[in-house]
Amino acid sequence: MPIAGEWAKIRSTITYQGFVTINRDTYEEPNGAVTDWDVITGRDSAATLAFTPSASHVVLFEQFRVGPEKALLELPGGYLNNNEPPTDAALRELREETGYHSESAFYAGSEWWAANSSRRKHLVIAANASKTYEATWDESESGHVRLLPVSELIDLLVSGELTDAGLACRGLTALARSNPDTEVLAALRDRVRQLLVA
């Protein structure tokens, strides 16, 4: 019998609703214990790992984050709109936060936002991203667009200072194992393979 079938949800109650929603879910565990769990719910998010032409740089967005109380370098990203495909959302967020745009995108999959969340985080890897638009930030957004030399990408991912480092590593691995259907993405895949074995 699957493990999930051994847990029985008794009820779910919204305990907080703001920028995120937190439910209090009550379960009966396999041993008969009844326990409460805080579950973060809401819309899925999407981020873009965007490489500039010739894969010389990666486009990042630096902004202040209230959790660590400091500015962090991040992959451009945000929430999906209603019925918006993850790839569209990721490229829209790239355009809105940085002004960069790409016609060559690889959907690298998704992962759970956290073990206590029903949300998923999607990743798109973009090739040949170029500054095409002006950034259009939301009311609560401000920051700086940063171009990171691709030679520094792996060090940043393992530094523990990038919020979506695990997602980015997962995406790079997915691209490295793929067989893209365009020359642009195949060239980026080959460059990513070099980065991963360096």
Side-chain angles (χ1 to χ4, degrees):
M1 173 185 272
I3 292 174
E6 299 173 7
W7 286 65
K9 186 188 284 189
I10 297 170
R11 67 182 160 273
S12 183
T13 306
I14 295 174
T15 58
Y16 175 80
Q17 196 160 24
F19 190 73
V20 297
T21 298
I22 301 175
N23 290 343
R24 175 68 46 89
D25 290 352
T26 303
Y27 280 89
E28 181 179 349
E29 297 184 33
N31 65 3
V34 175
T35 54
D36 290 325
W37 301 85
D38 293 332
V39 179
I40 300 168
T41 66
R43 294 181 288 167
D44 287 357
S45 62
T48 305
L49 180 55
F51 290 82
T52 60
S54 302
S56 61
H57 291 80
V58 174
V59 182
L60 300 174
F61 189 60
E62 183 179 32
Q63 58 186 323
F64 181 80
R65 289 308 199 185
V66 295
E69 297 183 350
K70 66 179 187 175
L72 297 177
L73 286 172
E74 300 183 315
L75 303 181
Y79 291 121
L80 276 65
N81 293 328
N82 290 337
N83 300 315
E84 185 179 29
T87 298
D88 293 351
L91 295 176
R92 173 183 52 75
E93 287 287 342
L94 174 68
R95 183 180 65 250
E96 289 175 358
E97 290 187 349
T98 69
Y100 277 74
H101 175 73
S102 171
E103 294 289 337
S104 299
F106 172 80
Y107 178 70
S110 66
E111 62 186 32
W112 292 109
W113 192 73
N116 67 330
S117 178
S118 63
R119 296 171 46 196
R120 295 208 46 97
K121 298 188 302 183
H122 301 269
L123 181 71
V124 168
I125 298 178
N128 290 347
S130 59
K131 181 87 162 88
T132 308
Y133 302 97
E134 290 300 317
T136 55
W137 297 335
D138 291 337
E139 191 175 286
S140 62
E141 276 182 320
S142 64
H144 302 282
V145 177
R146 301 290 189 212
L147 295 180
L148 180 77
V150 74
S151 60
E152 298 175 21
L153 177 60
I154 301 300
D155 287 340
L156 177 63
L157 294 179
V158 300
S159 73
E161 292 298 317
L162 184 73
T163 55
D164 287 324
L167 185 67
C169 289
R170 194 190 158 285
L172 290 172
T173 303
L175 178 60
R177 298 173 68 185
S178 73
N179 291 306
D181 56 0
T182 69
E183 289 182 22
V184 171
L185 289 174
L188 181 56
R189 177 208 53 206
D190 294 344
R191 180 68 179 110
V192 165
R193 286 176 174 172
Q194 292 171 351
L195 287 173
L196 293 175
V197 299

